[in-house]
Amino acid sequence: MMEERNNAAPAEGTLSVLENKVALITQFSQIGSLSKSKYQLEGFLIIIVVGGEVRITVEGVDYVLRSGDLFSCVPRNVLERPVASEDFEARIIYLSRDFAESIGSRVHIDWTFSMMTNKHEILHSAPEDLNVMLHYFDLAKAKLESPGTAFKVPAIEMLFASMVYEMFDIRTKAGRTPPPMQQYSAAETLLQRFVKLLNESGHRLRSVNDYAASLCVSSKYFSSVCKQLTGRPASELINEDIIRSAQLMLNDNNKSLKQISDALNFKNQSHFGTFFRRHVGMSPQQYRDSSRGKR
């Protein structure tokens, strides 16, 4: 996602990258000039709105962000192309999963449950809190752009960890609770392993039995853990991930239905069509045609 933004309007912002783990854009105003209509977020996104406003659509729901708003979004959410006012200005932070997990271990926070519930959040910060966030942002940017040293990576991790704590303080002031601390039960550890496998399997695994076998647990126990911790059946979580990937691929007119079917590891195109129609209510081609009409 960040690569598309950098290619879309490089003159409007600066991009800093640390060992391909974290990307950070500052002074970015042309957020609406992205080339794709939809993106599946692969990392963690934080937007700090400094001026103007932007409409951002997450999982089909529109949100309007204004000056002082902090928007955070975890991986696996689908974002549509934002629409920004001419005076829009923001600080945007993008963290890969691995980098965010490294930060999470420092602040003792577990992101797993947020990822499974497709969580995104908007907080409105007081001026003094916004200023603190911007100071952390400037420090992180300066460190990212500084020469490499033996302690550069851990220093940047600590800066972002401090920024996360600041966001937790803002959440507390808003009457919200922070994510759960890292005190894992056996069930929570299993869910973590499932999330990692879901993200890395490339849809090679297709059923509850497939995932349970790979996780070395019974299908019954695996299903009960997912239901207990997320409120949703394991089969629903697996199928939703497949459908989400299918819909994004269908938005890419350069991919044929057979190529999409093969990429998602279906036996054949007919099997893919049946699966898609059962969950979406229309064929893959009908979905592709309807998406074209909305652009």
Side-chain angles (χ1 to χ4, degrees), residues 133-281:
M133 289 293 291
L134 293 177
H135 282 314
Y136 276 123
F137 184 97
D138 291 339
L139 283 170
K141 179 179 181 296
K143 191 63 180 176
L144 275 166
E145 296 173 348
S146 67
T149 65
F151 297 102
K152 180 174 180 177
V153 173
I156 291 174
E157 286 179 343
M158 292 303 292
L159 279 171
F160 279 115
S162 297
M163 188 181 291
V164 169
Y165 277 131
E166 186 65 29
M167 290 183 69
F168 291 163
D169 278 341
I170 295 173
R171 293 184 94 260
T172 301
K173 292 176 183 178
R176 305 180 195 179
T177 56
M181 302 299 285
Q182 288 179 336
Q183 297 175 346
Y184 305 134
S185 65
E188 290 166 341
T189 299
L190 178 64
L191 182 64
Q192 279 192 311
R193 292 171 58 208
F194 167 52
V195 171
K196 186 175 180 63
L197 194 57
L198 191 69
N199 291 326
E200 296 177 351
S201 72
H203 306 293
R204 174 178 52 83
L205 306 177
R206 304 303 304 277
S207 68
V208 172
N209 289 339
D210 289 340
Y211 277 95
S214 294
L215 295 167
C216 301
V217 295
S218 71
S219 298
K220 182 177 180 180
Y221 176 66
F222 171 54
S223 297
S224 67
V225 165
C226 288
K227 184 67 174 178
Q228 174 193 345
L229 295 181
T230 72
R232 304 169 67 192
S235 58
E236 182 179 314
L237 296 171
I238 295 167
N239 290 337
E240 179 187 79
D241 190 68
I242 296 170
I243 289 296
R244 186 190 303 269
S245 295
Q247 289 173 327
L248 285 168
M249 290 183 190
L250 287 166
N251 284 324
D252 183 356
N253 293 326
N254 294 322
K255 284 186 169 65
S256 69
L257 296 185
K258 184 180 186 309
Q259 286 175 320
I260 295 173
S261 174
D262 291 344
L264 295 173
N265 289 305
F266 282 92
K267 294 179 181 177
N268 50 56
Q269 188 176 325
S270 175
H271 185 207
F272 167 53
T274 300
F275 177 89
F276 191 90
R277 183 185 291 275
R278 182 167 70 247
H279 291 281
V280 181

Side-chain angles (χ1 to χ4, degrees), residues 44 72 74 95 97-115 119 121 160-169 171-172 176-184 188 192:
F44 289 77
S72 59
V74 301
L95 306 173
R97 285 195 188 98
D98 289 344
F99 194 78
E101 287 175 2
S102 178
I103 294 172
S105 67
R106 290 183 179 276
V107 298
H108 306 294
I109 292 296
D110 175 29
W111 310 108
T112 302
F113 301 103
S114 294
M115 290 176 65
K119 190 168 179 62
E121 182 176 58
F160 279 115
S162 297
M163 188 181 291
V164 169
Y165 277 131
E166 186 65 29
M167 290 183 69
F168 291 163
D169 278 341
R171 293 184 94 260
T172 301
R176 305 180 195 179
T177 56
M181 302 299 285
Q182 288 179 336
Q183 297 175 346
Y184 305 134
E188 290 166 341
Q192 279 192 311

